[in-house]
Amino acid sequence: MGSLVFYILAFLTVLSAGAVVCLPKVIHSAIALIICFCLLAIHYLFLGSEFIAALQILIYAGAIMVLLVVSIVLMGSAFENQQEAGLLAKVIGVILASALLFVLSLAVPVGKGQFLNFEEQATILFSVVDIGQALFEKYFLAFELVGVLLLLVTVGAVMLLQEKKLPLPEGSGLRAKRQEHAKEAK
Amino acid sequence: MISSYLLLAVSLFAIGVLGVLVRRNVLVVLMCLELMLNGVNLAAVAFSQQLQNADGQVLVMVSFAIAAAEVTVGLVIIVLLYKNFYATATDAAQNLNG
């Protein structure tokens, strides 16, 4: 029974992930990605990681996707009439991705082995206490470094988004395009 | 049981790679990067359950923070690409070499 639920969930997860790649409109891809993240949170719950499941909903489906959707809304019209890759590029991409899938699947241990005694083990629940102890004792340096990284990213994002335009190369056609857009804006 | 989770993680990663290779829209490419990261996270959580060790969970937490940072920087780059080149396709970035 448990495995049936897993297979249905896994199918839906792969389906929504495929929808992210296949749907032509970018906002539809974003919604498919939110569904995929929520399904992954359910997988984390089945794996006994309640805290990670909560973080998945909060950070991914919450913060990151809100960022992405807001930027889609802000740049709205720019994403219509998007030129897509040609048929040859698509075929090569599919071949390369399937080759990667095949090679990585070979590395997955299948069948009964020393490593695969998961069924006999009871699913243990990782509480916030376990994770907190590991984070603040064993991996405290990583915790501090992540704090520094987030500060740097915040400062960097604000700095990069100041109102200034990059110099454009002569004769690339981009200058004329920019002036055209500036005229349209007026 | 862990094999099924690992296979799911591998397929998520491969779908993410497919999206990065096939799509031209920079926002969709960014989303596919997120898919790849999520595949890796799922594998880490599955291994953490298999080995009954909380280390994998810490790894996933750090990876969440780094994913948030990565999306912020990626979106800044996309906004700059749009503001400067009026483009949202990956082809526009070829002009970055000057």
Side-chain angles (χ1 to χ4, degrees), chain A residues 32-56:
Chain A
L33 194 59
I34 293 173
I35 295 169
C36 184
F37 287 161
C38 292
L39 288 168
L40 272 169
I42 302 174
H43 281 298
Y44 292 146
L45 279 181
F46 273 113
L47 280 166
S49 318
E50 290 163 336
F51 187 56
I52 297 293
L55 278 186
Q56 172 86 7

Side-chain angles (χ1 to χ4, degrees), chain A residues 21 37 47 82 109 115 138, chain B residues 3 23 38 49-50 55 88:
Chain A
V21 178
F37 287 161
L47 280 166
Q82 182 81 54
F115 190 64
K138 211 169 161 188
Chain B
S3 309
R23 293 303 295 265
N38 267 279
Q49 181 63 246
Q50 168 75 23
D55 287 3
T88 52

Side-chain angles (χ1 to χ4, degrees), chain A residues 6 21 23 37 47 49 52 56 60 78-79 82 84-85 109 115 118 121 124 126 138-139 166 168 178, chain B residues 1 3-5 22-23 25 27 34 38 41 45 49-50 52 55 57 64 67 75 82 84-85 88-89:
Chain A
F6 168 78
V21 178
L23 288 177
F37 287 161
L47 280 166
S49 318
I52 297 293
Q56 172 86 7
Y60 268 112
F79 293 102
Q82 182 81 54
E84 276 304 330
F115 190 64
F118 192 74
Q121 286 176 4
I124 57 162
F126 287 106
K138 211 169 161 188
Y139 297 106
L166 302 172
L168 289 178
R178 181 183 278 178
Chain B
M1 189 66 177
S3 309
S4 339
Y5 279 106
V22 166
R23 293 303 295 265
N25 194 321
L27 267 172
E34 294 305 309
N38 267 279
N41 284 345
V45 171
Q49 181 63 246
Q50 168 75 23
Q52 314 248 318
D55 287 3
Q57 319 261 326
F64 277 180
L75 278 176
Y82 175 59
N84 284 290
F85 299 145
T88 52

Side-chain angles (χ1 to χ4, degrees), chain B residues 4-87:
Chain B
S4 339
Y5 279 106
L6 287 181
L7 279 176
L8 177 61
V10 162
S11 11
L12 279 181
F13 190 86
I15 292 173
V17 170
L18 176 70
V20 171
L21 289 174
V22 166
R23 293 303 295 265
R24 286 284 157 83
N25 194 321
V26 265
L27 267 172
V28 179
V29 169
L30 200 64
M31 287 185 210
C32 290
L33 279 177
E34 294 305 309
L35 265 183
M36 288 158 75
L37 270 174
N38 267 279
V40 176
N41 284 345
L42 184 66
V45 171
F47 276 121
S48 156
Q49 181 63 246
Q50 168 75 23
L51 302 170
Q52 314 248 318
N53 190 337
D55 287 3
Q57 319 261 326
V58 176
L59 179 76
V60 171
M61 273 181 67
V62 172
S63 128
F64 277 180
I66 290 173
E70 173 245 318
V71 162
T72 314
V73 175
L75 278 176
V76 167
I77 292 173
I78 291 173
V79 170
L80 283 178
L81 207 64
Y82 175 59
K83 263 166 67 174
N84 284 290
F85 299 145
Y86 303 101

